[in-house]
Every structure is written in C-alpha cells, then in structure tokens.
Amino acid sequence: MKIITLEEHFEIAEIKRAVARFLPVSQEHFYHPPTVQLEDLGASRLKEMDTMGVDVQVLSHTAAGIPLIPPAEAVALTRAINDQLAAAIHVHPDRFAGLATLPTPDPEAAAAELERSVNTLGFKGAMIHGRTNNRFLDDPSFRPILETAVALDVPIYLHPAPPPKAVWDVYYAGFDPAVSGSFATFGWGWHLDTGIHALRMILGGVFDRYPSLQLILGHWGEMIPFYLARFAEALTPATKQLQRPVADYFVQQMHVTPSGMFTLPPFMLTLQVLGADRILYSVDYPFQAGDHAKIFLENTPISSADKEKIAHGNAERLLKLSTTTSTT
Ligand code: GRE
Ligand code: ZN
C-alpha cells in the first residue's frame, strides 16, 4: 500500500534564526524542535521514510512565525523557503512534493508567491500557520490568497500556531511554564484555535464565496468532527446569510489528516462524520514518531478500498499527484 503523507515538516536554519527575534518569549518553554531531522532533506529523511513505510512526503516548513514578522521580510524569507524546498524536491521528485509557505502579512505578495510556487516551482498547495496580525482567514484582507488558491485549484492546509498572548495568559498561564506552554499549544490550545479558525471561515461565508476552495485540517479535524452536530444544530438557524446548513461546509470543503495521532477512536469518529473520501494521511514528521504510520492504517477495521483512498488515493486526487506504485 503506497503511503503519501501531507503534514511533514522541514526547517531551514537561517530562517529559524531570522524569525527568532519576532517570536514571543513564551515559545522557548515548549518549542524544542527535533532540529537534526527537521533540517535534513536528503538521505537520512529518506531512510526514516522507508522505516515508517512512507513513500511520499508532502513537505512544508515548520511553524516558522512568518505571520509575526514585518511584510517585507516575510516576502524575502518565504521566497527563500520555497526555493530551497523546490531544490530538494528536484533531487527526489518521486519521494517529495511541496506545500508553499506564504508571506501572509502581505496578502497580495502571498497570492503572488502562491502562484509562483504552484506554476513555477510545481508545489501542490500552501500551508498557512494560524492567524496573521490576530486575523483569521475569514478576514477580507486575505481574499487575494484564497482567490488564487481557487484559481489554481490547490488546497490550503491550515496548520496550528501558538494562540495570541492575551488568550495564552487568560486560558493557559498559571502553571509551570513547560506545562502552560504545552497546554497552550500542541497539548490542547492550538488545536482548539485551529478548529475555531476553520469554523470562522464557515460563519464568515468564505466557502459560499469560494465554493471550490478546499481546506485541509490536521489532528483529525482539530476537534470539529466530535462537535459538528452540536455546532450545526446551534449555528444553522442563526446563519441566515449562509447558503448551506453549516455542517455541509465541513463535509464538502474540508479534508482531514491524523498528524501522527494514530489511535482508533478519533479515526473512527472522523470516518463516520466525514467519510473515507476526505481523509488523507500524515505523520507530522519529525514532531511525531511515525513508526506505526503504516501498521495503524493496515490494522484499522475498514475495507481495503477505503485504506487505499486514505493512504494515497485521496491525496493523489486532491493534490493532482502522479500515480506511481509503492517504493517501500
Ligand atoms: C507541529 O508541526 O505539529 C509542531 C510544531 C512545533 C511544535 C510541536 C508541533 O510545528 O507538534
Ligand atoms: Zn505540523
């Protein structure tokens, strides 16, 4: 079974240094990235992919803090990120594909960089890390980016990023900094944040404006599948400006991936809510260990046709990847 994974990160040391001065100090307390694996885009990564049973990694830069930095610098840095990723893909085109990093602080430039990334560099979509200037993608200022994604027919992967300081302080502070840091981010907070981001896009009418836009969420849909019926019951009567019942936007315009959360309950829940055609696969390498990536899917109690869709078929369709056979 060929496996294509969609939330697989790399990091460029110069970029990390360049963005470091814009990051909130609180970040130090939770962010201990696996630097060696993040920075490798060659032989060791391929070896780890072979061990995990992953044939193709769709690569994206890690949460670089791009939304936090001044527009002009964001433009230069994202160009450098995308150029270096393109060079790595060029060496191993059968093992790597790319998602663009966009300078969201300058939405027009971000739209242009998305266009360049797809049409010139051959990338398959973009990854956006949370809010920019505390605005979510339902804000009209980001329309150039969404319009371009629609025109190019590529998806946007919405990745978590640390919550705003005010939210951090009220909701997550008050514990040992390492506890607050994990609670505010990958332990809970930034998943809730990303779910809210996607729900705001529904409520803001983004998917009526762009009915072919496709959003990808990690972590089995960032809590939305569990609460979708509740959200739909509560919000559908109030959202008279929307064209569809609110749950429709989730099941028609979003896809989800596991991000390395390889346990059965959220998988079965997501499968029941969303169906096998909208589940893609991901490890969140190297933040999560992918040793069980292939075994987990093989052992799920679903049909082999559905396993093939989730392992690679849906990704090949959504990202328009060529369909070659498994290399592992
Ligand atoms: C992730 O990509 O999921 C991630 C980061 C940084 C820290 C932890 C984490 O980008 O899971
Ligand atoms: Zn990730």
Side-chain angles (χ1 to χ4, degrees), residues 7 9 27 30-34 38 61-64 127 129 159-160 185-186 190-191 219 259 284-288:
E7 185 183 329
H9 301 300
Q27 194 119 329
F30 75 93
Y31 189 56
H32 305 291
L38 271 174
H61 202 274
T62 186
M127 177 173 280
H129 294 97
H159 191 279
T185 60
F186 55 82
W190 76 13
H191 301 298
H219 311 95
S259 313
D284 198 12
Y285 178 89
F287 294 101
Q288 298 293 317

Side-chain angles (χ1 to χ4, degrees), residues 3 52 55-56 72 81 96 122 160 182-183 189 202 206 231 236 303 311 322:
I3 304 236
M52 294 184 285
D55 295 274
V56 179
I81 290 172
F96 296 145
S182 301
F183 184 31
I202 295 176
V206 170
F231 179 74
T236 297
S303 71
S322 60

Side-chain angles (χ1 to χ4, degrees), residues 89-257:
I89 295 169
H90 188 73
V91 181
H92 299 288
D94 55 334
R95 304 301 302 275
F96 296 145
L99 295 178
T101 302
L102 303 179
T104 51
D106 180 343
E108 290 288 349
E113 183 61 11
L114 177 57
E115 199 271 333
R116 187 185 79 95
S117 297
V118 173
N119 285 342
T120 307
L121 305 180
F123 290 1
K124 307 302 177 187
M127 177 173 280
I128 293 182
H129 294 97
R131 290 149 285 96
T132 297
N133 296 321
N134 278 339
R135 294 191 191 242
F136 298 83
L137 290 174
D138 61 289
D139 191 90
S141 65
F142 298 119
R143 283 180 191 167
I145 300 175
L146 303 180
E147 269 158 27
T148 303
V150 166
L152 296 166
D153 194 24
V154 295
I156 291 177
Y157 199 123
L158 189 60
H159 191 279
K165 186 173 183 319
V167 172
W168 186 298
D169 290 347
V170 175
Y171 282 75
Y172 305 110
F175 305 106
D176 177 274
V179 173
S180 286
S182 301
F183 184 31
T185 60
F186 55 82
W188 188 264
W190 76 13
H191 301 298
L192 189 60
D193 224 47
T194 311
I196 288 173
H197 197 150
L199 296 179
R200 284 191 63 100
M201 291 174 74
I202 295 176
L203 300 178
V206 170
F207 299 105
D208 281 334
R209 179 175 281 269
Y210 307 113
S212 65
L213 179 67
Q214 294 295 328
L215 199 67
I216 306 172
L217 298 173
H219 311 95
W220 297 121
E222 308 289 8
M223 308 191 189
I224 296 177
F226 189 76
Y227 262 85
L228 186 65
R230 175 77 173 178
F231 179 74
E233 193 180 303
L235 270 302
T236 297
T239 48
K240 300 208 180 340
Q241 81 288 4
L242 295 182
Q243 291 167 13
R244 290 170 262 168
V246 294
D248 287 19
Y249 298 99
F250 182 69
V251 300
Q252 293 168 2
Q253 295 191 244
M254 299 195 202
H255 291 74
V256 314
T257 85

